[in-house]
Amino acid sequence: IKENLTRMARANKGGVNRLLGVILSIYLFHQDHFRHERQIYKLVIAATEENWSCVRAFKEFLRKILTEVIEDGVRTGEFRRMDAAATTGVLLDCFTWITNPILFQELNPDEVESRARAQVQLLKKALQ
């Protein structure tokens, strides 16, 4: 997943589309690995609830690549000047419903992409 998220974060699609790509990639990874692999899902839930070092490392990785996307958007003028690290924290809070595997079972697959796109469009207005 790290390779895929890095590829999405560094694609030549503009900051908003890169943010959406990262978020939807996390959801698609969860969908591919959790819907039919109950044991893997249970293991990831335990790791998340107990805050294992691998979970902390992934959260830090995600924070880093999203911060890079925001910094790049500021550099290119797509986003206004801002504290990229603080903004990343807010973005992660906004997308907890997708990024937290504990909440995965509550997601309606038919609504995830449209909800994420709507949320990114709202965030786009705040970032510009």
Side-chain angles (χ1 to χ4, degrees):
I1 190 169
K2 283 183 172 183
E3 289 175 15
N4 189 36
L5 295 179
T6 299
R7 186 172 47 257
M8 295 304 288
R10 295 184 179 155
N12 287 331
K13 296 184 188 181
V16 171
N17 288 326
R18 291 162 54 199
L19 290 173
L20 181 62
V22 169
I23 297 303
L24 288 179
S25 291
I26 292 169
Y27 170 71
L28 292 173
F29 179 84
H30 288 175
Q31 187 177 44
D32 289 347
H33 291 85
F34 298 161
R35 289 254 183 245
H36 304 293
E37 299 290 339
R38 297 298 304 161
Q39 295 304 337
I40 291 174
Y41 182 67
K42 287 178 184 178
L43 180 64
V44 170
I45 294 303
T48 302
E49 288 175 339
E50 296 173 17
N51 199 28
W52 292 1
S53 63
C54 59
V55 170
R56 290 190 307 273
F58 181 75
K59 286 179 180 179
E60 183 57 36
F61 164 80
L62 185 57
R63 182 174 297 279
K64 180 179 179 268
I65 64 166
L66 289 175
T67 300
E68 288 175 10
V69 171
I70 294 168
E71 288 172 341
D72 190 51
V74 169
R75 200 171 20 262
T76 63
E78 182 178 1
F79 303 146
R80 64 178 168 73
R81 297 192 67 69
M82 67 187 78
D83 180 336
T87 302
T88 298
V90 172
L91 289 173
L92 287 170
D93 288 346
C94 291
F95 284 106
T96 298
W97 65 278
I98 287 182
T99 61
N100 187 324
I102 294 172
L103 301 175
F104 175 76
Q105 293 297 324
E106 298 175 19
L107 297 178
N108 178 343
D110 296 331
E111 297 176 355
V112 170
E113 186 170 347
S114 63
R115 284 179 62 197
R117 285 184 184 282
Q119 195 168 358
V120 165
Q121 288 305 310
L122 179 66
L123 293 168
K124 174 184 174 182
K125 291 177 183 178
L127 295 171
Q128 293 179 325

